[in-house]
PDB file of all heavy atoms in Angstrom:
ATOM      1  N   GLU A 213      13.903  36.605  75.280  1.00  0.00           N
ATOM      2  CA  GLU A 213      14.928  35.930  75.976  1.00  0.00           C
ATOM      3  C   GLU A 213      16.341  35.998  75.336  1.00  0.00           C
ATOM      4  O   GLU A 213      16.432  35.813  74.138  1.00  0.00           O
ATOM      5  CB  GLU A 213      14.517  34.446  76.212  1.00  0.00           C
ATOM      6  CG  GLU A 213      15.501  33.562  77.048  1.00  0.00           C
ATOM      7  CD  GLU A 213      14.962  32.196  77.292  1.00  0.00           C
ATOM      8  OE1 GLU A 213      13.866  31.863  76.804  1.00  0.00           O
ATOM      9  OE2 GLU A 213      15.641  31.445  78.021  1.00  0.00           O
ATOM     10  N   LYS A 215      20.541  34.865  75.131  1.00  0.00           N
ATOM     11  CA  LYS A 215      21.455  33.790  75.484  1.00  0.00           C
ATOM     12  C   LYS A 215      22.833  34.061  74.841  1.00  0.00           C
ATOM     13  O   LYS A 215      22.851  34.412  73.667  1.00  0.00           O
ATOM     14  CB  LYS A 215      20.844  32.496  75.032  1.00  0.00           C
ATOM     15  CG  LYS A 215      21.705  31.248  75.270  1.00  0.00           C
ATOM     16  CD  LYS A 215      20.899  29.962  75.089  1.00  0.00           C
ATOM     17  CE  LYS A 215      21.778  28.715  75.001  1.00  0.00           C
ATOM     18  NZ  LYS A 215      21.008  27.479  75.068  1.00  0.00           N
ATOM     19  N   ASP A 248      17.302  34.231  81.785  1.00  0.00           N
ATOM     20  CA  ASP A 248      17.443  32.772  82.118  1.00  0.00           C
ATOM     21  C   ASP A 248      18.787  32.708  82.742  1.00  0.00           C
ATOM     22  O   ASP A 248      19.832  33.156  82.272  1.00  0.00           O
ATOM     23  CB  ASP A 248      17.388  31.985  80.798  1.00  0.00           C
ATOM     24  CG  ASP A 248      17.564  30.507  81.036  1.00  0.00           C
ATOM     25  OD1 ASP A 248      18.467  30.126  81.790  1.00  0.00           O
ATOM     26  OD2 ASP A 248      16.790  29.685  80.472  1.00  0.00           O
ATOM     27  N   HIS A 251      22.075  31.706  80.946  1.00  0.00           N
ATOM     28  CA  HIS A 251      22.361  32.268  79.582  1.00  0.00           C
ATOM     29  C   HIS A 251      23.454  33.378  79.617  1.00  0.00           C
ATOM     30  O   HIS A 251      23.453  34.178  78.627  1.00  0.00           O
ATOM     31  CB  HIS A 251      21.094  32.749  78.961  1.00  0.00           C
ATOM     32  CG  HIS A 251      20.225  31.647  78.538  1.00  0.00           C
ATOM     33  ND1 HIS A 251      19.061  31.861  77.756  1.00  0.00           N
ATOM     34  CD2 HIS A 251      20.250  30.370  78.752  1.00  0.00           C
ATOM     35  CE1 HIS A 251      18.492  30.682  77.520  1.00  0.00           C
ATOM     36  NE2 HIS A 251      19.153  29.754  78.110  1.00  0.00           N
ATOM     37  N   ASN A 277      17.352  28.044  86.866  1.00  0.00           N
ATOM     38  CA  ASN A 277      18.126  26.800  86.815  1.00  0.00           C
ATOM     39  C   ASN A 277      19.499  27.088  87.423  1.00  0.00           C
ATOM     40  O   ASN A 277      19.649  28.150  88.014  1.00  0.00           O
ATOM     41  CB  ASN A 277      18.276  26.389  85.317  1.00  0.00           C
ATOM     42  CG  ASN A 277      18.774  27.538  84.440  1.00  0.00           C
ATOM     43  OD1 ASN A 277      19.707  28.218  84.749  1.00  0.00           O
ATOM     44  ND2 ASN A 277      18.037  27.700  83.334  1.00  0.00           N
ATOM     45  N   ASP A 283      24.977  26.813  79.697  1.00  0.00           N
ATOM     46  CA  ASP A 283      23.545  26.626  79.919  1.00  0.00           C
ATOM     47  C   ASP A 283      23.302  25.186  80.333  1.00  0.00           C
ATOM     48  O   ASP A 283      22.686  24.379  79.604  1.00  0.00           O
ATOM     49  CB  ASP A 283      22.811  26.962  78.541  1.00  0.00           C
ATOM     50  CG  ASP A 283      21.316  27.055  78.747  1.00  0.00           C
ATOM     51  OD1 ASP A 283      20.905  27.273  79.893  1.00  0.00           O
ATOM     52  OD2 ASP A 283      20.585  26.915  77.790  1.00  0.00           O
ATOM     53  N   ASP A 285      21.501  23.981  82.734  1.00  0.00           N
ATOM     54  CA  ASP A 285      20.107  23.592  83.140  1.00  0.00           C
ATOM     55  C   ASP A 285      20.028  22.667  84.270  1.00  0.00           C
ATOM     56  O   ASP A 285      19.214  21.730  84.285  1.00  0.00           O
ATOM     57  CB  ASP A 285      19.351  23.047  81.891  1.00  0.00           C
ATOM     58  CG  ASP A 285      18.832  24.131  80.967  1.00  0.00           C
ATOM     59  OD1 ASP A 285      18.717  25.217  81.374  1.00  0.00           O
ATOM     60  OD2 ASP A 285      18.622  23.791  79.745  1.00  0.00           O
ATOM     61  N   ASP A 323      13.492  26.416  84.101  1.00  0.00           N
ATOM     62  CA  ASP A 323      13.906  25.977  82.807  1.00  0.00           C
ATOM     63  C   ASP A 323      15.107  25.069  82.991  1.00  0.00           C
ATOM     64  O   ASP A 323      16.228  25.546  82.962  1.00  0.00           O
ATOM     65  CB  ASP A 323      14.191  27.154  81.901  1.00  0.00           C
ATOM     66  CG  ASP A 323      14.309  26.705  80.396  1.00  0.00           C
ATOM     67  OD1 ASP A 323      14.128  25.537  80.134  1.00  0.00           O
ATOM     68  OD2 ASP A 323      14.628  27.561  79.575  1.00  0.00           O
TER      69      ASP A 323
HETATM   70 MN1   MN B   3      18.473  27.660  78.099  1.00  0.00          MN
END
Side-chain angles (χ1 to χ4, degrees):
E213 181 173 3
K215 177 164 169 170
D248 182 312
H251 288 189
N277 48 51
D283 191 21
D285 281 337
D323 193 1

